[in-house]
Amino acid sequence: DGDSLSDSWEVENHLNPLDPSDVDVDSDGDGATNREEYQSKSDPNDPDSTPNWTMFQGNAGHTGFLPITVDDARFQHIWTYNPDIGELSRAVAAKGVVYVTGIDSNWSRTLLAINAVSHTRKWIENISSDYLQNVISAPSIANDLVYIYYNFAGSNPWLANSNIQALNSSNGTEVFSTELSGFNSYETSPTLFDDELFINQNFSIDGINAINGAHQLKKSDSELSNSAWELAVDNDYIYS
């Protein structure tokens, strides 16, 4: 029908491949048209499958792009929430929940989940308190898990180590915690790609299995000195 949607995709998702007008219909009422659902590979019949902002700049390539057209009439201030957990990270969102970390004046580090519709607290989890190390990343989301990176003092309190922690996105319970040698002086957040997680540290890149936390990669190099930026990842390369 010339509407830019694959006929097979339309049939599979109960649309009419002979009707070009259904391209601009929001079949599941989630705010995304069928064209936007097709472009983002989400389910046009599932309101919980729309594109989410799951990590720094939205995706592993850090392009800041989501294939959604914003309706000016709906783009307005809806609510404000004061989490009272200190200085806040960048927020991420998925499946109707907003996630943010914070660190207060006592170096207490916290991860908070907020219901995006009712703007009420869904759950809160204390991560750690360490007056010698005050780094905690913004969250990243994949596989129904929330991932954070933070520094902590090891046996030598002046030489930090770091941790990747994964928590259940529904209730905040810990799924795994992986200790890494080295640290980052900046609050860079994990980059998720397929079932792998990558983090930029001072003079090194680490990769772990995003499902079970197994440490899979350690690349150390004196040229990897700028750890202030999140890693970008595609099918072939890691960009630092």
Side-chain angles (χ1 to χ4, degrees):
D1 55 8
D3 62 2
S4 77
L5 305 181
S6 162
D7 289 346
S8 60
W9 185 87
E10 291 195 82
V11 171
E12 180 182 348
N13 290 285
H14 313 294
L15 301 175
N16 186 350
L18 301 178
D19 179 10
S21 66
D22 60 10
V23 69
D24 293 318
V25 174
D26 178 8
S27 298
D28 54 8
D30 60 4
T33 66
N34 290 324
R35 184 201 309 274
E36 293 162 346
E37 303 258 21
Y38 176 71
Q39 291 173 337
S40 63
K41 300 180 180 178
S42 55
D43 186 342
N45 299 302
D46 180 0
D48 292 327
S49 74
T50 50
N52 298 300
W53 194 265
T54 59
M55 66 188 81
F56 175 69
Q57 291 290 11
N59 53 56
H62 306 320
T63 60
F65 171 74
L66 288 179
I68 292 177
T69 301
V70 177
D71 182 351
D72 291 344
R74 299 177 61 184
F75 192 71
Q76 55 187 304
H77 180 265
I78 299 176
W79 52 262
T80 298
Y81 183 90
N82 180 10
D84 194 25
I85 56 173
E87 182 178 349
L88 300 179
S89 69
R90 299 179 300 265
V92 295
K95 298 183 178 180
V97 182
V98 179
Y99 302 89
V100 65
T101 58
I103 181 168
D104 66 19
S105 58
N106 296 315
W107 312 115
S108 179
R109 294 175 284 192
T110 304
L111 173 61
L112 175 67
I114 305 164
N115 185 303
V117 177
S118 64
H119 58 276
T120 56
R121 188 173 76 186
K122 183 177 176 69
W123 53 260
I124 188 169
E125 192 70 24
N126 180 49
I127 302 303
S128 72
S129 298
D130 191 334
Y131 74 95
L132 291 175
Q133 303 299 332
N134 59 356
V135 168
I136 185 169
S137 74
S140 296
I141 312 169
N143 312 304
D144 292 323
L145 300 176
V146 185
Y147 304 87
I148 55 171
Y149 169 87
Y150 61 91
N151 291 347
F152 67 94
S155 56
N156 183 339
W158 302 106
L159 294 176
N161 287 333
S162 55
N163 224 44
I164 293 288
Q165 190 169 357
L167 301 95
N168 185 299
S169 61
S170 297
N171 54 32
T173 57
E174 182 180 296
V175 176
F176 68 77
S177 182
T178 301
E179 183 175 340
L180 305 175
S181 60
F183 66 98
N184 195 332
S185 304
Y186 302 93
E187 294 87 357
T188 53
S189 54
T191 297
L192 281 302
F193 188 80
D194 291 336
D195 289 335
E196 296 180 287
L197 178 152
F198 301 93
I199 191 71
N200 200 7
Q201 299 204 92
N202 291 352
F203 302 106
S204 71
I205 292 172
D206 286 82
I208 71 171
N209 183 299
I211 305 301
N212 59 30
H215 195 187
Q216 301 179 152
L217 169 71
K218 181 75 171 182
K219 173 64 176 176
S220 300
D221 195 314
S222 60
E223 293 186 2
L224 300 173
S225 58
N226 188 352
S227 57
W229 305 103
E230 277 80 357
L231 299 170
V233 181
D234 62 20
N235 285 318
D236 301 308
Y237 298 104
I238 302 170
Y239 304 89
S240 174

